[in-house]
Amino acid sequence: MNLVVMGAQWGDEGKGKLVDFLAEQARLVVRYSGGANAGHTIVKGDETYKVHLVPSGILYDDTTVVLGTGMVIDPSALFAELETLTEQGVNWKGRVLVSDRAHLVLPAYRELDRKMDEERAQPLGTTGRGIGIAYSLKAARDGVRIADLERPEVLEKLDDESRSFLEPYMEQLKPMVVDLVEFMAQADSKEHVLFEGAQGALLDLDQGTYPYVSSGYSAAAGASLGGGIGPRRIDRIIGVFKAYSTRVGNGPFPTEFGEGDSAELEHLVRELGREYGVTTGRARRCGYLDLVALKYIVHANGIDSLALTHLDVYDSQQEVRACIAYETPDGVLDSFPASATLLEQCRPVTKALPGWNTSLADAKSFEDLPAEATDYIRFVEEFVGAPVEIVSVGYRRDQTILRTDPWMQS
Ligand code: GDP
Ligand code: IMO
Ligand code: MG
């Protein structure tokens, strides 16, 4: 079975936790987009792992992970990350593969990324990892791919700095390189394969809040091109979302907490949800759950089911609010607008639901959840038109409630 796990907001929804949880049953985990701009956190026992390029299935000794075609890979970041995993006792050798069609990120891209963003009249607040530059060069047909590392006639056209940067990684990368299309074509169709997204669909180049997006395809469709399979081979799409919203960097965020009561809520959410960037350490902007945006993402991706994370962060609240429409200068809007400037002018119309005011940390099944929490979940399901299949009530593996097993669905 081929299962896609994608972010359904602006990233950091808890994909790393979910992928790690679901990968227990997967033989292969293929990351299909993004680069070292991503930061995925996995907590296993007392140990916390932070991965940026390496797929979040890496903690299982019998699972192979692949950095897919849709990724942009900085080899220095990759090998630094692998070294950290080694120090943390993860034996990754022979289990990490890299698509020969993936693009490389060279040091000059990082510098240019930072400089370009600084010089923008309205900076995007990029992670400075060279991501936008790598994808731009890819689209302009001037990029450098993993397959090129074997082609002296291509390498000799690069400048000295780029060549000497790549040199030390060539031998290490060689045994990891794979023709992903052939590899996937030969994979046993009875085995479980998980396609892991990075970022979130609201940061997707086409679906997101353009131009305040990243440059890859984090949407479900990216799993096909970026994961080496035809779109009809995707069996199920899970969208991960938090009980609230966060955003790192600039761009419209209609439900962002503001002054007064919601400033207090922002503080609480940021501290309990550990809402600080894994890659840059920046404090994440926080706000109410935006159901208008979530419904748009469910429709745009054909999401089969949702995984709701961070529900525990609202444990102490008397009421829990979610945005159900936007007020604009031209009246009420109940769909997600294409224009970032219009979205900037949107003010949330929120609905308050009763809070549960009790700890969810030890809930093991849907039936363990208080009625207020299940009512909230049912309200979300009805509004966006997709079932919440998984509920996460903490960062630990065992704080995950499966209502139905996605690997058993077709
Ligand atoms: P990703 O980029 O989608 O993988 O998410 P990040 O790792 O950047 O951010 C999610 C953060 O929330 C991490 O610190 C996780 O350990 C944590 N987390 C994940 N799920 C939950 C949850 O259900 N409750 C709480 N409180 N934290 C969670
Ligand atoms: P994960 O996979 C949250 C944001 C950046 C910036 C914008 C463009 O951990 O969910 P870029 O460097 O990609 O050109 O920056 O995208 N961004 C993320 N925000 N989570 C991520 O990844 C992100 N990856 C990029 O903050 O606003
Ligand atoms: Mg993250």
Side-chain angles (χ1 to χ4, degrees), residues 12 15 38-40 278 284:
D12 304 326
K15 299 176 293 295
H40 300 167
V278 179
R284 295 174 181 152

Side-chain angles (χ1 to χ4, degrees), residues 9 11-13 241-244 246 275 284 289 308-310:
Q9 295 166 315
D12 304 326
E13 299 89 348
F241 75 108
K242 295 195 245 216
Y244 48 90
T246 60
E275 297 300 352
R284 295 174 181 152
L289 174 62
L308 164 60
T309 65
H310 296 81

Side-chain angles (χ1 to χ4, degrees), residues 341-356:
T341 53
L342 175 54
L343 196 59
E344 201 71 70
Q345 293 171 19
C346 289
R347 298 288 164 266
V349 178
T350 59
K351 180 173 168 69
L353 288 112
W356 39 96

Side-chain angles (χ1 to χ4, degrees), residues 137-150:
L137 289 169
K138 172 178 172 174
R141 293 145 302 168
D142 291 319
V144 188
R145 305 202 293 179
I146 294 284
D148 295 330
L149 294 174
E150 293 268 4

Side-chain angles (χ1 to χ4, degrees), residues 10-13 15 37-40 113 124-129 131-132 197-200 203 213-215 247-250 282:
W10 279 288
D12 304 326
E13 299 89 348
K15 299 176 293 295
N37 50 347
H40 300 167
D113 179 12
L124 307 178
T126 72
T127 58
R129 297 297 189 270
I131 305 302
Q199 289 77 57
L203 288 171
V213 290
S214 189
S215 303
R247 170 156 214 174
V248 195
N250 304 328
R282 290 180 286 182

